[in-house]
């Protein structure tokens, strides 16, 4: 009950979101393979989303609730529900896209339902905004590390790898980009 109350307070105190619509294409080189996707295989992924509202969290993070989808190889997809940005801390800055309710990948009885995450990192101080990146140059500025993960929620199994390419087309309703 207390946790739900805190979430409600966070929503009520949420800041106005940068209302963005994004289409992202990315390539993953598998490093932690499963079944038909062994290490070394390259996979194609996409994410399409619209941000709805944002609120600050502890540790310099901002949650951007969103609606959309994230997919891999055209047959694995899930409901994209949030982006997290972390900036202005002593740790690496990051932008993470997270999907739940994933369908399309089952191997030896394990359903890989998520979470599915695309996370890109930059050196501390490299991302000075609370909002997600908008332009391709902003997405490209986060150069420290780029990873993809898809988890089987009932075991420690996962499909994971390094994001080797990412192309983003985003439209922002706030031209000031604050």
């Amino acid at each position: 009950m207390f946790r739900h109350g805190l979430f409600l307070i966070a929503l009520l105190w949420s800041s106005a979101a940068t209302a963005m619509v994004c289409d992202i294409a990315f390539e993953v080189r598998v490093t932690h393979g499963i079944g038909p996707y062994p290490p070394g295989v390259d996979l194609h992924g996409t994410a399409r989303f619209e941000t709805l509202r944002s609120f600050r969290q502890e540790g310099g993070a901002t949650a951007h609730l969103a609606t959309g989808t994230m997919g891999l190889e055209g047959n694995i997809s899930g409901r994209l529900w949030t982006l997290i940005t972390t900036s202005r801390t002593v740790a690496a800055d990051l932008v993470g896209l997270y999907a739940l309710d994933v369908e399309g990948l089952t191997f030896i009885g394990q359903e890989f339902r998520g979470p599915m995450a695309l996370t890109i990192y930059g050196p501390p101080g490299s991302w000075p905004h609370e909002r997600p990146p908008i332009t391709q140059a902003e997405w490209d500025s986060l150069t420290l590390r780029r990873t993809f993960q898809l988890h089987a929620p009932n075991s420690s199994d996962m499909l994971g790898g390094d994001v080797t390419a990412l192309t983003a087309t985003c439209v922002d309703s706030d031209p000031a980009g604050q």
Side-chain angles (χ1 to χ4, degrees):
M1 182 71 170
F2 179 72
R3 192 166 126 196
H4 294 292
L6 288 176
F7 183 72
L8 179 60
I9 289 170
L11 286 177
L12 293 174
W13 281 348
S14 64
S15 61
T18 297
M20 333 176 6
V21 175
C22 286
D23 284 316
I24 297 175
F26 58 93
E27 300 296 323
V28 176
R29 168 84 30 98
V30 174
T31 58
H32 188 100
I34 54 123
Y37 307 113
V41 167
D42 292 325
L43 304 175
H44 177 71
T46 60
R48 291 179 179 87
F49 61 88
E50 178 178 357
T51 59
L52 303 173
R53 63 182 168 271
S54 303
F55 57 92
R56 289 293 285 172
Q57 298 180 308
E58 69 277 354
T62 302
H64 308 276
L65 300 181
T67 183
T69 60
M70 188 180 335
L72 191 65
E73 283 302 290
N75 60 330
I76 302 167
S77 66
R79 175 178 58 89
L80 194 144
W81 70 283
T82 193
L83 284 76
I84 300 289
T85 56
T86 301
S87 62
R88 295 175 256 174
T89 68
V90 296
D93 290 348
L94 72 82
V95 175
L97 287 70
Y98 303 97
L100 299 171
D101 305 324
V102 178
E103 297 178 340
L105 179 58
T106 301
F107 181 67
I108 59 169
Q110 287 291 326
E111 292 184 64
F112 289 75
R113 296 190 315 259
M116 180 165 42
L118 173 71
T119 311
I120 60 176
Y121 301 87
S126 63
W127 185 246
H129 309 287
E130 293 177 9
R131 65 168 171 79
I134 299 167
T135 68
Q136 184 65 47
E138 289 178 341
W139 286 94
D140 292 344
S141 72
L142 297 158
T143 60
L144 194 59
R145 185 164 187 228
R146 295 168 173 237
T147 64
F148 173 86
Q149 300 172 9
L150 171 54
H151 295 268
N154 298 322
S155 76
S156 60
D157 289 338
M158 73 169 213
L159 172 64
D162 296 323
V163 175
T164 58
L166 185 143
T167 304
T169 303
C170 299
V171 176
D172 175 18
S173 67
D174 176 11
Q178 304 299 320

